[in-house]
Amino acid sequence: MGAEVERRPYDSIRRTAQALQTRAEIADAARRLFVSRGWAATTVRDVAREAGVSAPTVYAVYGNKNGLTQALADAADLSGDPAWQLAELEAAAGDPRRQLAAMAAFDRRLYERAGDVIMLLREAGRAEPELAAVYRDGRRKADQTRLAVFSAWPAGVLHESLDVATAVDIYAGLCNVDVYRTLTDERGWSPDRVERWWAEALARELLHRGSDRFAAR
């Protein structure tokens, strides 16, 4: 009797570990298939077969394909590390070039880690409004960060032809997942090279030529 009681807690831990492992295997299978086949062309049954489980298991764990996609987005942490980004921006306060470089570095890390998830979320959003909302919310939050940074710069930092809203648009046009994937996947650029080019291009496109006078000494 005593041995049976002792085994029970370990049985519970074992079941929990197995459930977590199954959950992770389903998510990994879904990410592989969504990226290789496309979100629309992949069914829950496909994911189940790839993960080596039954379709009802996938539904029991994630609800449906939308829930699975949302879980992938959550696991990929598409918001990055806001506290870390804030710390980097604050450390570079008073130096617009350093702040732009910090923002480019943040985006490079995000796309390097989760660019495929961002792209599949965008694809899924074409058919599923709730996933489209997740994608739009991520873009909106990114724009808010850029808006806050650019608005805090003293007059004369931005190029004289730009207002803050246009500067945010230009940033989004340069530093996005499509540009990142084109340069790394198609053109053979390293992530480091993309990050350096972004920092240089952003400074060239957004900053007034005399803006270096605002850099912290």
Side-chain angles (χ1 to χ4, degrees):
M1 184 68 171
E4 182 180 350
V5 171
E6 287 179 3
R7 280 198 303 271
R8 285 176 184 168
Y10 294 102
D11 288 343
S12 175
I13 292 170
R14 187 176 296 108
R15 285 194 298 271
T16 299
Q18 289 171 343
L20 291 173
Q21 180 66 25
T22 298
R23 185 179 182 88
E25 288 172 354
I26 293 170
D28 289 344
R31 186 168 182 170
R32 288 194 301 272
L33 292 180
F34 287 160
V35 171
S36 63
R37 295 185 183 180
W39 186 88
T42 302
T43 66
V44 169
R45 190 175 298 277
D46 293 331
V47 173
R49 186 180 303 113
E50 179 77 6
V53 301
S54 67
T57 297
V58 177
Y59 284 114
V61 174
Y62 287 104
N64 54 26
K65 196 162 75 167
N66 284 8
L68 180 51
T69 306
Q70 177 67 68
L72 286 176
D74 292 341
D77 190 18
L78 301 187
S79 64
D81 186 338
W84 186 10
Q85 184 183 27
L86 178 61
E88 289 183 329
L89 291 171
E90 288 181 338
D95 190 333
R97 287 180 181 272
R98 281 185 59 205
Q99 286 193 314
L100 288 173
M103 295 163 75
F106 178 86
D107 285 337
R108 170 263 176 99
R109 292 192 299 267
L110 173 63
Y111 300 145
E112 192 172 18
R113 181 185 72 252
D116 57 344
V117 175
I118 294 171
M119 295 182 82
L120 75 85
L121 187 63
R122 182 174 63 187
E123 179 196 348
R126 297 189 181 108
E128 299 294 337
E130 64 183 289
L131 296 178
V134 174
Y135 177 78
R136 287 195 305 271
D137 186 56
R139 298 286 286 174
R140 179 182 58 79
K141 288 178 179 177
D143 282 348
Q144 286 177 339
T145 296
R146 297 158 194 162
L147 183 65
V149 171
F150 299 162
S151 296
W153 286 346
V157 170
L158 278 178
H159 192 280
E160 61 270 18
S161 66
L162 301 178
D163 55 26
V164 169
T166 304
V168 171
D169 291 343
I170 291 172
Y171 186 107
L174 279 172
C175 299
N176 60 68
V177 68
D178 296 295
V179 171
Y180 179 83
R181 296 297 290 268
T182 296
L183 292 176
T184 55
D185 293 353
E186 297 181 17
R187 302 296 172 171
W189 285 32
S190 69
D192 283 342
R193 186 180 179 188
V194 176
E195 181 183 329
R196 287 194 302 271
W197 175 70
W198 272 346
E200 294 164 1
L202 288 168
R204 184 171 58 249
E205 293 296 323
L206 300 184
L207 301 182
H208 188 279
R209 291 193 177 206
S211 62
D212 284 346
R213 72 183 186 276
F214 293 101
R217 302 299 181 186

